[in-house]
Protein backbone atom coordinates (compact mmCIF):
# COMPACT_ATOMS: atom_id res chain seq x y z
CA UNK A 1 0.00 0.00 0.00
CA UNK A 2 0.99 3.62 -0.32
CA UNK A 3 2.74 6.05 2.02
CA UNK A 4 0.56 9.13 2.06
CA UNK A 5 1.43 12.54 3.47
CA UNK A 6 -1.61 14.47 4.72
CA UNK A 7 -1.01 18.22 5.08
CA UNK A 8 -3.85 19.94 6.96
CA UNK A 9 -4.01 22.41 9.85
CA UNK A 10 -7.30 20.94 11.15
CA UNK A 11 -6.85 18.14 13.73
CA UNK A 12 -10.36 16.91 12.85
CA UNK A 13 -9.55 16.64 9.14
CA UNK A 14 -6.21 14.95 9.87
CA UNK A 15 -8.03 12.44 12.06
CA UNK A 16 -10.78 11.74 9.49
CA UNK A 17 -8.41 11.38 6.52
CA UNK A 18 -5.96 9.25 8.54
CA UNK A 19 -8.79 6.92 9.58
CA UNK A 20 -10.00 6.46 5.99
CA UNK A 21 -6.51 5.85 4.65
CA UNK A 22 -5.36 3.46 7.39
CA UNK A 23 -8.58 1.44 7.00
CA UNK A 24 -7.43 0.75 3.42
CA UNK A 25 -3.94 -0.26 4.56
CA UNK A 26 -2.08 2.94 3.74
CA UNK A 27 0.73 4.36 5.88
CA UNK A 28 -0.01 7.96 6.87
CA UNK A 29 2.46 10.78 7.51
CA UNK A 30 1.10 14.09 8.85
CA UNK A 31 2.04 17.75 8.69
CA UNK A 32 0.03 20.65 10.12
CA UNK A 33 1.10 23.39 7.71
CA UNK A 34 2.49 23.92 4.23
CA UNK A 35 6.12 24.50 5.23
CA UNK A 36 6.23 21.33 7.37
CA UNK A 37 4.50 19.44 4.57
CA UNK A 38 7.11 20.47 2.01
CA UNK A 39 9.96 19.60 4.41
CA UNK A 40 8.45 16.21 5.28
CA UNK A 41 7.80 15.39 1.60
CA UNK A 42 11.46 16.15 0.78
CA UNK A 43 12.65 14.03 3.69
CA UNK A 44 10.26 11.05 3.46
CA UNK A 45 9.40 10.94 -0.29
CA UNK A 46 5.79 9.73 0.18
CA UNK A 47 3.89 8.09 -2.70
CA UNK A 48 1.27 10.87 -2.71
CA UNK A 49 0.46 14.11 -0.85
CA UNK A 50 -3.05 15.20 0.22
CA UNK A 51 -2.83 18.99 0.53
CA UNK A 52 -5.23 21.41 2.24
CA UNK A 53 -5.27 24.98 0.85
CA UNK A 54 -6.20 27.31 3.70
CA UNK A 55 -3.36 27.08 6.24
CA UNK A 56 -1.27 29.62 8.17
CA UNK A 57 2.07 30.62 6.64
CA UNK A 58 2.73 28.71 3.44
CA UNK A 59 -0.70 27.90 1.95
CA UNK A 60 -1.53 24.75 0.01
CA UNK A 61 -1.20 26.39 -3.41
CA UNK A 62 2.30 27.64 -2.54
CA UNK A 63 3.32 24.30 -0.99
CA UNK A 64 1.99 22.38 -4.02
CA UNK A 65 3.95 24.65 -6.37
CA UNK A 66 7.15 24.13 -4.34
CA UNK A 67 6.74 20.33 -4.41
CA UNK A 68 5.86 20.07 -8.10
CA UNK A 69 8.66 22.42 -9.22
CA UNK A 70 11.40 20.79 -7.11
CA UNK A 71 13.22 18.01 -9.04
CA UNK A 72 13.49 16.03 -5.77
CA UNK A 73 9.71 15.93 -5.22
CA UNK A 74 8.23 16.65 -8.68
CA UNK A 75 7.41 12.93 -9.18
CA UNK A 76 5.14 12.88 -6.08
CA UNK A 77 1.49 13.44 -7.07
CA UNK A 78 -0.32 16.10 -5.03
CA UNK A 79 -4.09 15.89 -4.52
CA UNK A 80 -5.64 19.06 -3.14
CA UNK A 81 -8.28 18.39 -0.48
CA UNK A 82 -10.02 21.60 0.55
CA UNK A 83 -13.29 23.39 1.35
CA UNK A 84 -12.57 25.84 -1.50
CA UNK A 85 -14.97 24.69 -4.20
CA UNK A 86 -14.88 27.51 -6.77
CA UNK A 87 -13.94 26.58 -10.34
CA UNK A 88 -11.17 29.22 -10.25
CA UNK A 89 -9.62 27.49 -7.21
CA UNK A 90 -9.67 24.14 -9.04
CA UNK A 91 -8.06 25.63 -12.14
CA UNK A 92 -5.43 27.41 -10.03
CA UNK A 93 -4.71 24.23 -8.06
CA UNK A 94 -4.09 22.28 -11.28
CA UNK A 95 -1.88 25.11 -12.57
CA UNK A 96 0.27 24.73 -9.43
CA UNK A 97 0.83 21.11 -10.44
CA UNK A 98 -1.87 19.26 -8.47
CA UNK A 99 -2.94 16.00 -10.11
CA UNK A 100 -6.47 16.19 -8.71
CA UNK A 101 -8.73 18.38 -6.60
CA UNK A 102 -11.23 17.10 -4.01
CA UNK A 103 -13.69 19.21 -2.03
CA UNK A 104 -14.33 18.58 1.68
CA UNK A 105 -16.08 16.75 3.13
CA UNK A 106 -14.49 13.97 1.09
CA UNK A 107 -16.37 10.71 0.63
CA UNK A 108 -14.19 7.70 1.44
CA UNK A 109 -14.83 5.94 -1.88
CA UNK A 110 -14.02 9.13 -3.83
CA UNK A 111 -10.76 9.52 -1.91
CA UNK A 112 -9.71 5.91 -2.52
CA UNK A 113 -10.66 6.03 -6.22
CA UNK A 114 -8.70 9.27 -6.69
CA UNK A 115 -5.66 7.78 -4.93
CA UNK A 116 -5.80 4.69 -7.17
CA UNK A 117 -6.00 6.88 -10.27
CA UNK A 118 -2.98 9.07 -9.38
CA UNK A 119 -0.97 6.07 -8.21
CA UNK A 120 -1.70 4.33 -11.50
CA UNK A 121 -3.69 1.52 -9.88
Amino acid sequence: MARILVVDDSPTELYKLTGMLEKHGHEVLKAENGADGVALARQEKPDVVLMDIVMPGLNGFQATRQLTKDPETAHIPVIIVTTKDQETDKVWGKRQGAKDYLTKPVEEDTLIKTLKSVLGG
Side-chain angles (χ1 to χ4, degrees):
M1 290 279 100
R3 291 178 76 219
I4 301 169
L5 170 58
V6 180
V7 185
D8 201 313
D9 61 330
S10 159
T12 307
E13 285 299 324
L14 278 173
Y15 177 80
K16 285 198 310 206
L17 290 168
T18 299
M20 285 185 223
L21 295 167
E22 287 179 342
K23 182 171 145 190
H24 289 269
H26 298 292
E27 180 186 340
V28 180
L29 306 165
K30 297 176 209 141
E32 293 179 5
N33 60 58
D36 288 353
V38 170
L40 199 56
R42 286 188 178 132
Q43 181 186 333
E44 296 290 334
K45 305 284 190 294
D47 298 309
V48 67
V49 176
L50 299 182
M51 181 74 72
D52 185 25
I53 296 300
V54 184
M55 296 182 285
L58 194 68
N59 73 38
F61 288 136
Q62 295 164 319
T64 298
R65 188 168 54 242
Q66 283 189 19
L67 289 174
T68 57
K69 302 290 183 252
D70 181 338
E72 269 191 59
T73 54
H75 67 283
I76 303 170
V78 176
I79 300 169
I80 290 175
V81 182
T82 183
T83 53
K84 292 174 78 66
D85 63 354
Q86 298 298 308
E87 195 55 39
T88 51
D89 295 320
K90 293 176 186 174
V91 169
W92 187 242
K94 299 271 178 96
R95 293 211 18 217
Q96 305 315 303
K99 293 283 184 255
D100 215 323
Y101 194 107
L102 300 175
T103 309
K104 294 176 186 173
V106 178
E107 296 292 326
E108 187 171 325
D109 57 342
T110 305
L111 178 64
I112 300 306
K113 273 188 203 140
T114 305
L115 281 171
K116 281 185 178 152
S117 99
V118 301
L119 292 167

